[in-house]
Amino acid sequence: MRVLIVDDHPIIVSGCAAMLAGEGDIDVVDARDAETGLAVFVAQKPDVTVVDIGLPGVSGFELTRRILAADPQARIVVFSMNDDPIFAARAIQMGAKGYVTKNDDPYLLLTAVREVASGGVFLMPKIANQLAFEKSGGGASPLSVLTARELEILRMLGRGLGTTEIADATQVSYKTIANSCSIIKRKLGARTPMELMRIALEHKLT
């Protein structure tokens, strides 16, 4: 089985690669950003792709979208520092088959990779329980009103990018991004870009 890891943290990549390669039947390749990750995906055709959300430039959400546009059958596991269940929900809605957080047992990533490679879906029990709780009407995240694309834009605003830079990175028009920013402000009750940046930082989107 071939696994592609797209993550910009060398220590995390090396640790995950060693764990997966130690299984004996897993060949690991890696990339450090979305653009390179997509190129490696197309060239290597991995069985499973592990994608970090917090990549430099566009996020793992956008990379997931681009990979699935290139191959709708791609099997993707999102691997993130963020344990807010809304990120797991949006990842699955976009077509990812698994979601694992980096601050839990690293062997859960191995479990997720094997489950997804076999055609299944993997959510950590804690996140699955939180999602079920939110669906029942309890304790929904303030970010639950945002789409995956809106989360992507909010993350980039949190990193200090302007509207033009976000439009260039996401390959959509300036007008579309400006309109999306207005919608995000309305949804989150924010009045200025600085307030959106604060919300992004508070929710560890950057």
Side-chain angles (χ1 to χ4, degrees):
M1 171 169 50
R2 178 171 295 157
V3 175
L4 166 62
I5 301 175
V6 187
D7 195 303
D8 64 321
H9 296 91
I11 293 176
I12 289 177
V13 172
S14 61
C16 291
M19 177 187 66
L20 295 173
E23 290 292 292
D25 63 333
I26 300 177
D27 176 35
V28 180
V29 292
D30 66 82
R32 302 301 166 87
D33 57 59
E35 183 177 351
T36 306
L38 181 60
V40 174
F41 175 85
V42 172
Q44 298 283 341
K45 297 180 174 57
D47 299 287
V48 177
T49 301
V50 176
V51 174
D52 179 26
I53 288 181
L55 297 171
V58 298
S59 75
F61 282 136
E62 177 65 14
L63 177 57
T64 296
R65 186 190 68 78
R66 294 179 186 181
I67 287 175
L68 289 169
D71 179 5
Q73 303 305 313
R75 293 172 176 174
I76 299 172
V77 174
V78 172
F79 191 41
S80 172
M81 287 295 294
N82 202 307
D83 59 4
D84 188 327
I86 191 59
F87 288 86
R90 293 294 175 265
I92 299 301
Q93 286 171 2
M94 291 189 73
K97 300 299 183 184
Y99 190 96
V100 178
T101 60
K102 294 179 179 179
N103 48 4
D104 278 282
D105 185 343
Y107 281 91
L108 284 174
L109 178 62
L110 174 61
T111 302
V113 165
R114 291 211 179 276
E115 180 67 25
V116 170
S118 67
V121 174
F122 182 88
L123 279 178
M124 296 164 53
K126 177 176 68 176
I127 287 183
N129 289 339
Q130 287 175 314
L131 284 174
F133 179 63
E134 290 193 359
K135 284 181 180 178
S136 69
S141 166
L143 301 182
S144 63
V145 296
L146 302 182
T147 66
R149 172 53 64 86
E150 288 164 354
L151 280 172
E152 165 81 347
I153 292 170
L154 183 60
R155 185 190 76 93
M156 298 178 88
L157 288 169
R159 289 191 165 190
L161 274 66
T163 306
T164 300
E165 294 170 300
I166 296 173
D168 290 342
T170 56
Q171 301 174 355
V172 298
S173 71
Y174 176 94
K175 182 177 180 181
T176 296
I177 297 300
N179 288 341
S180 294
C181 288
S182 296
I183 292 169
I184 295 169
K185 286 178 189 175
R186 185 172 70 250
K187 286 182 174 182
L188 298 180
R191 291 172 295 179
T192 67
M194 286 301 296
E195 287 187 29
L196 290 180
M197 182 181 291
R198 176 183 57 78
I199 291 169
L201 292 173
E202 285 179 354
H203 288 273
K204 302 176 183 177
L205 295 185
T206 60

